[in-house]
């Protein structure tokens, strides 16, 4: 018996969604490896855990988003980073980006969204303890259908893309991630 290949009509948008990998974030025209960035985030002394996800964005396809939990010792010793209600101030995203730059992470790989978890927040996981990235996006980065960053909850810290002076350039000379 000869089996014929199964033929499916898929639109180009559906194909793009199907072919996206949870281990890669497509931002602008560049790919950011989530595992590589998670390794660098684990080197930061004030983060207990951190995960990278791709949050849809109408301007640049996806944003590199980080969901992180602070170490309890950091909460106590660096109270000036935290606001009066115990939530991190907007300079926490700046601090993470600056520290990742010191670890030689290329500018296009730096996170543009950050959500700090509270102690009672639970990250969705499978039975084998893997993070369910789709549910993380739905739970911690909910958006409307038009994928605008302005629709994100107030707990999400957003990096203004206008701050990245060299981010628009995606020529061959940028692939080496040379930094000024």
């Amino acid at each position: 018996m000869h089996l014929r290949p199964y033929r499916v009509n898929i639109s180009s948008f559906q194909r793009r969604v199907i072919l996206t990998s949870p281990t890669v974030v497509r931002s602008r025209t560049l790919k950011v490896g989530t595992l590589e960035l998670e390794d660098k985030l684990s080197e930061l002394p004030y983060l207990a855990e951190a995960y990278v996800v791709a949050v849809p964005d109408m301007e640049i396809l996806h944003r590199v988003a980080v969901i992180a939990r602070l170490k309890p010792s950091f909460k106590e010793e660096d109270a000036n980073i935290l606001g009066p209600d115990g939530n991190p101030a907007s300079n926490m995203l700046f601090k993470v980006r600056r520290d990742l730059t010191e670890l030689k992470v290329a500018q296009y790989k730096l996170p543009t969204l950050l959500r700090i978890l509270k102690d009672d927040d639970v990250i969705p996981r499978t039975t084998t303890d893997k993070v369910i990235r789709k549910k993380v996006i739905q739970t911690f980065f909910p958006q409307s259908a038009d994928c605008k960053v302005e629709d994100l909850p107030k707990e999400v810290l957003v990096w203004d893309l206008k701050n990245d002076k060299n981010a628009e350039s995606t020529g061959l000379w940028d692939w080496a991630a040379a930094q000024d």
Side-chain angles (χ1 to χ4, degrees):
M1 176 180 210
H2 180 58
L3 296 175
R4 299 173 77 168
Y6 187 70
R7 197 171 194 163
V8 179
N9 291 329
I10 300 175
S11 72
S12 63
F13 177 75
Q14 288 172 327
R15 186 175 296 117
R16 187 175 76 190
V17 171
I18 290 170
L19 296 178
T20 57
S21 168
T23 59
V24 174
V25 177
R26 293 280 315 222
S27 182
R28 295 185 176 95
T29 59
L30 302 170
K31 294 179 183 178
V32 178
T34 59
L35 301 177
E36 174 190 355
L37 189 54
E38 286 174 1
D39 285 343
K40 293 294 185 179
L41 287 165
S42 68
E43 295 178 27
L44 299 180
Y46 47 85
L47 296 181
E49 61 180 327
Y51 303 98
V52 179
V53 294
V55 175
D57 186 353
M58 292 301 289
E59 290 180 49
I60 60 171
L61 190 60
H62 290 102
R63 282 190 175 242
V64 179
V66 173
I67 185 163
R69 191 179 312 274
L70 296 175
K71 289 184 178 177
S73 59
F74 178 75
K75 291 178 188 176
E76 296 165 4
E77 67 190 34
D78 289 328
N80 59 338
I81 297 290
L82 301 176
D85 58 351
N87 290 329
S90 61
N91 59 350
M92 189 66 197
L93 179 57
F94 176 77
K95 179 177 177 50
V96 169
R97 288 175 59 94
R98 183 191 65 215
D99 293 346
L100 287 173
T101 303
E102 290 174 3
L103 293 173
K104 305 292 186 222
V105 174
Q107 182 180 2
Y108 74 93
K109 295 180 181 182
L110 296 175
T112 57
L113 299 175
L114 175 66
R115 172 108 184 230
I116 302 294
L117 296 172
K118 299 176 183 147
D119 293 333
D120 58 343
D121 286 337
V122 177
I123 297 175
R125 297 179 185 272
T126 64
T127 55
T128 58
D129 205 34
K130 293 181 182 177
V131 175
I132 306 172
R133 295 179 193 271
K134 281 186 178 182
K135 286 190 179 179
V136 166
I137 295 168
Q138 293 169 354
T139 305
F140 298 106
F141 300 98
Q143 289 179 307
S144 61
D146 56 356
C147 300
K148 290 189 178 179
V149 178
E150 296 83 24
D151 298 336
L152 290 169
K154 62 179 175 60
E155 294 89 6
V156 176
L157 304 175
V158 179
W159 184 258
D160 188 5
L161 296 176
K162 293 177 183 119
N163 293 338
D164 294 338
K165 62 179 179 176
N166 296 328
E168 290 301 317
S169 176
T170 56
L172 293 174
W173 54 89
D174 289 339
W175 289 2
Q179 298 184 8
D180 298 324

